[in-house]
Amino acid sequence: TAMSRLQWFEIVIRIITLDYFSIKHTIRALVKRSELSAHPKILDIGCGTGALANIFNSKDYLGFDFDHESILQARRSFPKYKFIEANAVNPLLGNKRFDLILISGVLHHLNNQDLTSALRVVKPHLNKSGKVIIIEAIPPIFRWNIIGRVLRSVDQGHYIRSLNNYVRLVKRYFKVIDSYQQVGGLVDYGVVFARN
């Protein structure tokens, strides 16, 4: 069967990010720094095709995304993991609470109002001592990264912000522990590490 647009897009993203190498490294380092329990409950908001799921134990993980095709692909690729179709403004989580909430590559698709609504809605699902890891698209750190500028200009997310802007918005709902820019090869990221 022919590959879908989603599958082609996923291949391109994996090539550009070297299979999410920098993002996965950042997440592992921050999880270690989080001093979470042996089996922390993980919520992956905007999980897409589940590319970051296998960093975590399948029994402790829940990913959600609003895109039906992405969720189907995630379930095919990672059958032991749980994925639901929902969006950040109405996540269908009931009264579930998590030790770690991961938001990667989502917020640059949301305007300021939707971004703050999403953070407000997910905040009650973070345990009292829980942590939040946010990894988001930022403009290229180095001026000479022309390819990075082109890639960011064609990104489907229309709200790529500076790291300071992400931090300012996150501070409305969480206490920021750390924030920094991360060189990610052709595309760079802003990282925000926060807690309740």
Side-chain angles (χ1 to χ4, degrees):
T1 62
M3 283 204 297
S4 69
R5 263 180 79 189
L6 177 66
Q7 289 169 316
W8 277 111
F9 179 75
E10 183 69 18
I11 289 169
V12 170
I13 294 296
R14 284 179 183 269
I15 290 169
I16 290 170
T17 62
L18 301 175
D19 194 24
Y20 301 96
F21 177 81
S22 180
I23 293 172
K24 288 178 178 179
H25 176 77
T26 297
I27 293 168
R28 286 186 183 106
L30 290 175
V31 166
K32 191 173 184 181
R33 191 173 153 191
S34 297
E35 299 177 352
L36 299 171
S37 64
H39 294 285
K41 298 291 180 202
I42 310 295
L43 177 63
D44 185 356
I45 296 174
C47 64
T49 58
L52 303 174
N54 64 0
I55 294 173
F56 307 103
N57 186 312
S58 61
K59 293 176 184 163
D60 305 321
Y61 174 93
L62 173 62
F64 77 76
D65 200 286
F66 75 94
D67 185 70
H68 179 70
E69 290 301 317
S70 293
I71 290 296
L72 290 179
Q73 181 64 43
R75 288 173 180 161
R76 282 192 294 269
S77 299
F78 303 98
K80 292 183 178 178
Y81 289 76
K82 184 172 182 186
F83 299 97
I84 60 172
E85 190 177 332
N87 66 52
V89 180
N90 182 20
L92 307 174
L93 296 172
N95 59 2
K96 289 185 177 137
R97 294 175 75 85
F98 299 87
D99 302 303
L100 177 68
I101 294 177
L102 173 64
I103 307 172
S104 180
V106 175
L107 301 182
H108 73 286
H109 293 277
L110 304 176
N111 63 34
N112 286 358
Q113 184 178 348
D114 290 341
L115 186 156
T116 54
S117 293
L119 293 177
R120 184 179 66 248
V121 168
V122 300
K123 180 178 172 59
H125 298 288
L126 183 66
N127 281 331
K128 201 171 186 178
S129 60
K131 304 293 190 302
V132 180
I133 297 173
I134 297 170
I135 302 175
E136 274 303 326
I138 59 171
I141 296 168
F142 300 112
R143 248 186 231 162
W144 50 260
N145 186 357
I146 295 165
I147 295 172
R149 290 188 186 285
V150 170
L151 291 171
R152 286 302 188 216
S153 72
V154 298
D155 192 293
Q156 293 176 342
H158 300 294
Y159 303 98
I160 294 174
R161 300 166 176 88
S162 69
L163 175 61
N164 287 340
N165 281 336
Y166 287 118
V167 169
R168 182 176 51 80
L169 293 164
V170 171
K171 275 184 172 177
R172 293 181 183 180
Y173 297 100
F174 301 100
K175 180 166 177 49
V176 174
I177 300 167
D178 196 6
S179 63
Y180 55 91
Q181 296 182 120
Q182 177 70 47
V183 174
L186 296 176
V187 287
D188 300 327
Y189 304 97
V191 179
V192 182
F193 183 46
R195 64 177 171 81
N196 246 336

